[in-house]
Amino acid sequence: NIQCVLVVGGFAESPLLIKHLCGKIDQTRCRVIRPKNPSLAILKGALMYGQNPKKIVTRISKYTYSIRCYKSFDPSKQPECLKEIVGDKEKCGKIFSKIISVGDQVILGQVVQKTYIPSHAKQTKIRLKIFCSSDGNPVHV
């Protein structure tokens, strides 16, 4: 569904790159746009952002971000090698608890809230391990 490719930066000044890119893209469906001074486009964008950071209010996530967490072990969903005994319960400690997915729109200042419960009754502290993946729906860390 890509309708437009905007080519900026130093490589955009290479006629060979532009020719190759145009040869790979169906230009009846997708336009290749290269500004007059493609190297300056990056600088101008950086200056505009520096003067007013609120100009960019959303971004599209390149990765899926998660926190590693424990869930009850389910032999129908998790391999036996991921089973851990925590306290007196069978747990899987390599669960990918998704926060943001690949392709999600992230709004400036957006807050994501998740609730986690202790793995066992005597737990007094927690270490959060944050992971990222290019997969849109990972299950295990």
Side-chain angles (χ1 to χ4, degrees), residues 13-88:
E13 295 187 18
S14 165
L16 181 63
L17 174 79
I18 299 302
K19 182 180 176 184
H20 183 75
L21 184 62
C22 290
K24 295 286 184 184
I25 293 176
D26 178 1
Q27 292 187 343
T28 60
R29 294 183 180 183
C30 179
R31 294 180 7 193
V32 175
I33 298 175
R34 183 178 81 175
K36 222 175 207 181
N37 297 309
S39 291
L40 287 177
I42 301 293
L43 178 61
K44 287 179 182 178
L47 287 171
M48 287 170 53
Y49 180 72
Q51 290 174 341
N52 185 2
K54 292 184 180 178
K55 280 205 178 270
I56 298 176
V57 293
T58 64
R59 293 194 166 114
I60 303 301
S61 180
K62 186 175 179 180
Y63 298 104
T64 297
Y65 293 93
S66 76
I67 293 175
R68 177 185 169 194
C69 70
Y70 283 88
K71 287 193 177 178
S72 295
F73 181 76
D74 182 348
S76 68
K77 294 181 181 177
Q78 289 116 11
E80 190 72 22
C81 64
L82 295 180
K83 180 168 71 172
E84 297 179 35
I85 303 299
V86 179
D88 61 347

Side-chain angles (χ1 to χ4, degrees), residues 57-61 100-108 110 112:
V57 293
T58 64
R59 293 194 166 114
I60 303 301
S61 180
I100 295 173
S101 293
V102 168
D104 280 358
Q105 181 177 355
V106 181
I107 300 167
L108 181 67
Q110 176 181 350
V112 176

